[in-house]
Amino acid sequence: MARMSPIFRRTDRRAEKKAPPERLVTLIGKPDCHLCEDAEVVVEKVCRELGVPWEKKDITRDEELYRAYWEQIPVVLVDGAQHTFWRVNEERLRRALAE
C-alpha cells in the first residue's frame, strides 16, 4: 500500500499544544514590614495551591531592587514582570498565574 501524502494526513492538534511555561512569583520586601508579611501569606498560599514556585527577595540586600522598588514594597513580580505592590489580592494573583 502506498504511503499517504502528508498533505492528507490528519494531525493531532492536542499533541501540538505547547506545555505551559514554568511560572515564578517573586516577592520583594524587607524585614519588619507588616505589609510584606501579609503579602507573603497570600503569595505562599496561592503558589502552594497552584504548584507555582516562588521566591522572596530583600531590598535591603540588593541595591538595584532598593532603587527600583523602595517606595512600593511589597512588590510582587510574576515571571519577572511587576504584578502588584503594597497589597496582594489573592484572586487577582490566582488569575494571573492561570493565564
Side-chain angles (χ1 to χ4, degrees), residues 79-95:
D79 302 329
Q82 188 169 342
H83 168 72
T84 194
F85 62 97
W86 293 338
R87 301 256 183 218
V88 182
N89 180 286
E90 181 178 333
E91 290 307 312
R92 184 169 176 259
L93 178 59
R94 196 177 297 280
R95 281 192 309 270

Side-chain angles (χ1 to χ4, degrees), residues 29-83:
K30 69 177 186 175
D32 301 319
C33 165
H34 73 281
L35 289 177
C36 301
E37 292 166 2
D38 293 346
E40 184 174 349
V41 169
V42 174
V43 168
E44 192 279 329
K45 176 185 178 190
V46 171
C47 289
R48 180 178 25 87
E49 289 174 0
L50 298 178
V52 174
W54 71 282
E55 63 185 356
K56 185 165 67 168
K57 294 191 176 183
D58 181 349
I59 65 164
T60 66
R61 297 182 177 267
D62 186 318
E63 185 65 31
E64 187 177 330
L65 290 177
Y66 182 84
R67 278 186 265 117
Y69 299 114
W70 72 274
E71 290 183 321
Q72 298 178 336
I73 63 164
V75 175
V76 175
L77 309 178
V78 174
D79 302 329
Q82 188 169 342
H83 168 72

